[in-house]
Structure formats: C-alpha cells, structure tokens
Amino acid sequence: MTVVAELAGSPAIVAPGRLVAGRYRLGALLGRGGMGRVWLAEDEVLRRRVALKQVVLSGLVSEEVRASALGEARAAARIDHIGAVRIHDLVEDPDGSPWIVMELLSGRTLAEALDAGGPLPILEVTRIALRLLDVLEAVHREGLVHRDVKPSNVFLCDGGRVVLTDFGIACAVGGCTLPPGGLAGSPAYMSPERARGEEDGPASDLFSLGATLFAAAEGRSPFSKGDPFSTLVAVVEDSPGPFVNAGPLRPVIEGLLAKKPQSRPTADQARLEAVAPRGQRVYVPTSRPRAMADDSIALSAWLRSAPASSPVAEDNA
C-alpha cells in the first residue's frame, strides 16, 4: 500500500517501511477516513507497536493541517478515561507532515462488527451504551464536544473495552464553528441542530450516540437515505425506525434521538433507563465491582435478579 499525501506543498510518498520522525517504522495501513489515515507502526526507541494517524485535510495548507492535528491530539489527550483512545505524542516529519502517535487497539470497530454479523445482541448493545455514556460524560466534563460519534469511531477491543476514537473535529463547548467547506462529520449520525448549522453541545453527542445505538441494535442507520442531502433532511424531520430488535433499549434510544436538544435525556438519565429492569425506575450508583466490568453474562444475570427496591449499578469501568 502506497499513499501520496500533499501536506507541505509537495507530494510525500507514504508506504510501509517508511521511518516517521526518525523513530516510527510504518507497517500496514489500518484504516482511512475523511480526516486522515491510521497506520500500524513500530516505535524503534521503546520497541513497542503503536498506531500512527497521518492527518490529511484535502485542500488545506500545511499550517492548517498542523493546527488540526494539534487540536485533535490535545482534545483526546485531555480525556483521562479508559474509554478514550490514549495519545502518546504528536510528531512531525522533516517535510512538516504531522502524525499523531496513539495506543494500538486490538479488535474491530462497531461498524466492522455490524458489517460482518448484522445487529448485535441487546445485552451487548446495552454494555456498549453504558461504556459510551460514561466516556461522553468525561468528554463533556472537560468542556469538549466530540461531534463525530458513530459506529466507525467506536472500537470494540478484544478484551471487552469499548473506546471512543477520532477527536478530529472535537471542539470546546460554545466554540464549535463550521469547518472550511461546510459541515464535517457523517450526515446519518449528525444531530439536527448541527445539520441546521446551529451550535453543537453535549446533547448533540447524545443524539449521535442514539443513532449509533440504533445502528448497533437494528443493523442500519436510523436516517440514512443513500445521499447526504436526503439523509440530512431525514435527520431534521423524520422519526427513526422502524424498531425491530431494540426491545427494552427502545425508550432510551428514542429519547436520545429527540429532535430538540432540551428534550433528550442527560447521560445520567439515559444510563439509568438503560439498566432499569422491566422499565422500573431504580437508583444507579456511580460504581460497581470491577470484577463484573468485562463480564456481560454476569451483568445480564445481575440486572435480571435485582429487586425493584435495590440499587442497580451501571457499567462504570
């Protein structure tokens, strides 16, 4: 795999075997998106494998590319949470190309899981929902909005960890602006307010989470119409559905997909609704025994056996 990247005024050849910043030896291309490409790499100083994100913004000059890479790295590095991808460093090649050095995750994205096997079991969707609600709370506590929650940015690690990745268009609450060229992100998972060109906030991430959970449960986006314009119209005007597989998660997903930001539940409210057995309202403590954190079977049995009068704890790994 060879990639030509125009980042500093002249094309740079990027291919396996290339040494980045005098330290990171590129391996296979792991993935690509609108904001860049992610490579497997070997850190030849510490002798460990890492992931290198090559930031690529078509049509922008190198200073803007560097600023974008720095913004993404700083945003992700601020989130001290197991559910956020860990940033090790930000480096530059001699040609000025910025690279974000990240932890290497083992597993696959939620999008890949859905492509391979269709809708996930509702217990697994619930586990993913609780993990993502937790990390989004951490993001919002730092005064940030992720703005790109979607299945391809949710990584399902082999050991059960769920990780939110790609902070490439994250911004500070109250400081989100439209990027050059208009909207950034995936129309099918974009909030109605951003589709209308309005300000993003934490509730916008929760809408995107609702669309992501719908996809996990039903195997498809709730609003995709095949082209960006029609999809954006559906995001703003249409109801999601039909629901077929969501079962007990339907109320929380529908709540997260409310068109008005003020009508959506908070992360705490959504978490409580997700774990309340048979629709009963129960108190959700802030932690539970870590021994259960990665055991979906134990979580299922625990939720089913919890009496209405006892507290049910959330998945707070």
Side-chain angles (χ1 to χ4, degrees):
M1 171 67 67
T2 299
V3 176
V4 177
E6 296 186 12
L7 297 177
S10 58
I13 302 299
V14 181
R18 177 181 171 183
L19 191 65
V20 173
R23 175 172 177 172
Y24 302 100
R25 185 74 63 183
L26 292 185
L29 181 66
L30 299 177
R32 65 177 71 204
M35 304 291 286
R37 304 177 181 92
V38 179
W39 299 79
L40 172 66
E42 178 76 17
D43 181 344
E44 296 192 342
V45 174
L46 298 181
R47 299 192 181 281
R48 65 175 177 179
R49 297 200 305 171
V50 296
L52 251 62
K53 181 171 182 179
Q54 173 197 12
V55 181
V56 180
L57 301 178
S58 178
L60 298 187
V61 299
S62 58
E63 286 305 316
E64 291 172 297
V65 174
R66 292 189 189 99
S68 176
L70 180 60
E72 176 178 355
R74 283 177 171 171
R78 283 171 60 177
I79 313 304
D80 183 16
H81 191 280
I82 193 173
V85 64
R86 298 186 182 103
I87 303 298
H88 297 319
D89 203 355
L90 176 65
V91 299
E92 285 190 3
D93 258 354
D95 66 2
S97 305
W99 297 76
I100 301 172
V101 186
M102 307 179 294
E103 64 171 319
L104 180 64
L105 301 173
S106 176
R108 58 183 178 175
T109 68
L110 174 57
E112 291 169 337
L114 294 173
D115 287 343
L120 302 182
I122 290 305
L123 174 60
E124 176 66 1
V125 180
T126 302
R127 188 182 75 87
I128 292 169
L130 296 174
R131 297 291 178 91
L132 292 176
L133 284 165
D134 200 32
V135 69
L136 283 175
E137 277 192 313
V139 171
H140 299 155
R141 279 197 302 269
E142 289 296 325
L144 297 173
V145 186
H146 184 276
R147 297 210 297 172
D148 205 15
V149 180
K150 59 185 179 182
S152 60
N153 285 341
V154 175
F155 203 91
L156 309 178
C157 298
D158 289 336
R161 183 179 165 208
V162 178
V163 179
L164 182 62
T165 66
D166 198 343
F167 284 73
I169 58 173
C171 64
V173 174
C176 298
T177 58
L178 290 178
L183 296 176
S186 296
Y189 297 94
M190 191 177 293
S191 68
E193 54 270 27
R194 179 139 62 100
R196 292 191 295 262
E198 300 169 1
E199 179 65 41
D200 285 293
S204 302
D205 281 346
L206 293 174
F207 182 93
S208 299
L209 173 61
T212 297
L213 296 178
F214 182 100
E218 303 294 345
R220 54 186 171 78
S221 160
F223 301 110
S224 180
K225 300 298 181 183
D227 69 88
F229 179 78
S230 298
T231 297
L232 288 173
V233 171
V235 164
V236 173
E237 298 181 354
D238 293 356
S239 298
F243 286 88
V244 176
N245 304 311
L249 276 186
R250 176 173 177 171
V252 70
I253 295 174
E254 285 185 316
L256 292 170
L257 293 177
K259 300 301 185 184
K260 296 180 179 179
Q262 62 270 26
S263 298
R264 295 169 204 150
T266 64
D268 272 340
Q269 291 168 338
R271 180 190 294 110
L272 189 151
E273 182 119 12
V275 301
R278 295 175 296 280
Q280 297 169 352
R281 305 302 293 177
V282 294
Y283 171 67
V284 183
T286 57
S287 64
R288 66 180 175 82
R290 184 168 291 273
M292 285 189 182
D294 292 321
D295 190 341
S296 296
I297 297 176
L299 174 61
S300 176
W302 193 35
L303 293 180
R304 287 198 304 270
S305 64
S309 59
S310 68
V312 176
E314 91 267 36
D315 189 1
N316 191 30

